[in-house]
Amino acid sequence: MSNPTKRIVLTEDWTVVVLGFSIILLAVLGVLLPVPSFGWNNTSELLDKVLSGANIQKILIQLVAVVIVAVAGALLLGKSVKPFFTGLPVVYFLTILALIITGNSAAKDLNLEAVIFSLIIGLVIGNTVKLPEWLKAALSTELFVKVGLVLLGTSVIFSDILKSGSLGIIQALVVVVSVWYFAFWLSKKMGIDEEMGIMLSSAVSICGVSAAIATSGAIKGDSKKLSYVISLVLITAIPMMIFMPYAAKAMGLSEAVTGAWLGGTIDTTGAVAAAGTLVGEEALKVSTIVKFSQNLLLGVAAFAISIYWTVTNNPLAKDKDTKPSLGVIWERFPKFVLGFVAASLLFSFALSPETVSSVKGSLKNFQGLWFALAFTSIGLETNFADIFNKDSKKPLYAFLIAQGFNILVTLLVAYFLFR
């Protein structure tokens, strides 16, 4: 007799869509989570503001919400809920530590994002301490990431991007297509496996970490490869953020061209904002428009990549020329991408601006929290020996060469469109 607790009620992707839209629906109906404060300049503010009783209460309310969502996901998947009562709080408080570090004024001045510290904390602990099984069981990285991606759709507002300017959209299309195909071609030429090549190409060309995660979900990629790509994105984003504004000044580029160059090249949103701020107000505005335009292409790219991956990696085919049916494509298609697109369409066209304005702060905070939880989990699961070894040299070289190509192509397109 089968064990009913092991029966899968829904697939993980459909579970994520249900969870994500449940969160969105509750927010629209007025059930908004409080947003804790993590900003501080000195020890006094840390104790009186961030670690105050009122703020700790908000943090604990968020913990309860996270556990409820995770437990609901486990129930829908027919999995054990115990790890989310025992291990998830540990992951949560490690993530809160990362958020507190990020909230310091020094980190804010550099526009360092919480996911960077989440990953670092996870990596340090995961590579120095043997994790107990009850903690490992709570590291549901894909679930955390995909819930965050569905919620991310609520911040991709089509009308805002269209009003901000068509030039940013044109640049995003040209750069994403050209850089993605170059990076993918290069990866194949260097003998890198197709799965890694697709994740690298998406990370370089679209929007860094989010694109790598979405692509990994679309092709059901290996978590170790994803961790490696994320590490490359975060490591290269910081020096690019610092040196590119000075390079633009040395070349005598206008603020508009510089902003378009920064927004289309630097892979993380926070680093784009930091670099744009170093140049000026117009550069900051244009860089943000271009980055948002690339974010808009995330769902489209994940959809296209999932179709490509299904067609070219059909397990039911008797030979490589046999193409899968539409039913197989639908079965293997990552449904969380539909959740992302649906959330974006809902907030772009169905809800009133007043409703969007009233809920976006709470949803953005919760979305960021899920990403941070995922990065803490990735760090805890990742072994340095698996990432930085002789077998990882080719992907590193491919990423750096593709990023160099991205820098040059984006500069040419930005100069042509925004001069």
Side-chain angles (χ1 to χ4, degrees):
M1 184 174 179
S2 62
N3 187 345
T5 62
K6 299 298 182 182
R7 180 175 59 87
I8 296 179
V9 181
L10 291 177
T11 64
E12 184 173 85
D13 277 357
W14 278 124
T15 296
V16 167
V17 173
V18 171
L19 295 177
F21 267 84
S22 297
I23 294 168
I24 293 169
L25 178 61
L26 288 171
V28 171
L29 293 176
V31 182
L32 299 176
L33 286 176
V35 179
S37 174
F38 295 107
W40 57 286
N41 297 307
N42 49 55
T43 305
S44 177
E45 287 190 7
L46 174 63
L47 295 174
D48 297 338
K49 185 179 178 183
V50 179
L51 299 180
S52 67
N55 204 55
I56 289 176
Q57 184 179 39
K58 293 178 182 179
I59 291 172
L60 292 176
I61 290 173
Q62 273 197 161
L63 170 60
V64 172
V66 166
V67 171
I68 288 174
V69 173
V71 167
L75 291 173
L76 289 173
L77 290 167
K79 294 183 177 180
S80 171
V81 301
K82 185 178 179 181
F84 298 109
F85 288 112
T86 55
L88 184 55
V90 175
V91 180
Y92 177 81
F93 283 114
L94 290 175
T95 303
I96 292 299
L97 175 59
L99 291 169
I100 292 174
I101 295 172
T102 310
N104 180 255
S105 56
K108 279 188 174 181
D109 289 342
L110 294 174
N111 256 39
L112 297 177
E113 299 180 68
V115 293
I116 295 176
F117 294 105
S118 293
L119 183 64
I120 291 173
I121 290 172
L123 285 171
V124 170
I125 295 175
N127 284 272
T128 56
V129 178
K130 182 175 175 57
L131 300 182
E133 291 301 321
W134 57 265
L135 180 55
K136 288 182 180 179
L139 303 179
S140 298
T141 302
E142 283 204 25
L143 181 71
F144 300 158
V145 162
K146 291 175 181 178
V147 170
L149 283 169
V150 172
L151 296 181
L152 177 63
T154 65
S155 63
V156 181
I157 308 300
F158 288 76
S159 58
D160 288 349
I161 295 172
L162 292 174
K163 285 189 294 185
S164 297
S166 58
L167 292 182
I169 297 174
I170 294 171
Q171 176 178 314
L173 284 169
V174 173
V175 168
V176 166
V177 172
S178 59
V179 173
W180 195 95
Y181 275 102
F182 173 81
F184 188 57
W185 170 83
L186 178 66
S187 297
K188 293 179 72 173
K189 285 291 184 182
M190 295 181 68
I192 298 169
D193 68 89
E194 195 171 44
E195 183 181 319
M196 174 66 88
I198 287 177
M199 285 191 275
L200 278 172
S201 303
S202 300
V204 171
S205 63
I206 307 174
C207 52
V209 170
S210 297
I213 292 171
T215 301
S216 178
I219 64 176
K220 303 187 186 305
D222 181 86
S223 60
K224 290 182 179 179
K225 294 177 182 178
L226 175 61
S227 299
Y228 179 80
V229 174
I230 288 172
S231 299
L232 291 180
V233 171
L234 295 178
I235 289 169
T236 56
I238 296 175
M240 290 173 65
M241 169 190 78
I242 296 172
F243 293 114
M244 286 185 64
Y246 296 103
K249 185 176 181 180
M251 288 186 286
L253 302 179
S254 67
E255 282 201 21
V257 172
T258 302
W261 188 34
L262 298 174
T265 306
I266 299 176
D267 289 322
T268 68
T269 304
V272 167
T277 302
L278 289 175
V279 179
E281 186 175 338
E282 185 179 5
L284 175 61
K285 178 182 177 182
V286 174
S287 66
T288 303
I289 292 169
V290 171
K291 179 52 64 179
F292 280 173
S293 299
Q294 286 185 323
N295 289 343
L296 179 64
L297 296 176
L298 177 60
V300 177
F303 179 88
I305 289 168
S306 67
I307 298 296
Y308 166 81
W309 188 255
T310 301
V311 170
T312 59
N313 293 269
N314 178 22
L316 302 181
K318 295 181 180 179
D319 58 72
K320 65 180 182 179
D321 295 323
T322 303
K323 302 303 180 185
S325 65
L326 289 176
V328 172
I329 292 175
W330 171 249
E331 181 183 348
R332 299 186 69 197
F333 179 75
K335 311 304 186 299
F336 76 91
V337 174
L338 298 179
F340 171 90
V341 174
S344 181
L345 292 173
L346 175 68
F347 273 66
S348 296
F349 304 111
L351 299 178
S352 68
E354 293 77 17
T355 300
V356 172
S357 178
S358 66
V359 304
K360 67 179 181 181
S362 178
L363 285 176
K364 183 175 178 59
N365 166 70
F366 208 37
Q367 168 240 309
L369 178 61
W370 285 105
F371 276 144
L373 287 167
F375 275 71
T376 303
S377 299
I378 288 172
L380 290 170
E381 290 178 308
T382 300
N383 190 310
F384 281 126
D386 295 330
I387 295 181
F388 302 106
N389 55 44
K390 63 179 182 179
D391 296 328
S392 64
K393 287 183 179 179
K394 285 185 179 180
L396 171 62
Y397 296 153
F399 183 87
L400 293 177
I401 294 170
Q403 192 65 276
F405 179 80
N406 183 24
I407 290 171
L408 292 176
V409 168
T410 305
L411 175 59
L412 290 174
V413 175
Y415 185 79
F416 178 78
L417 292 175
F418 289 89
R419 61 178 176 173

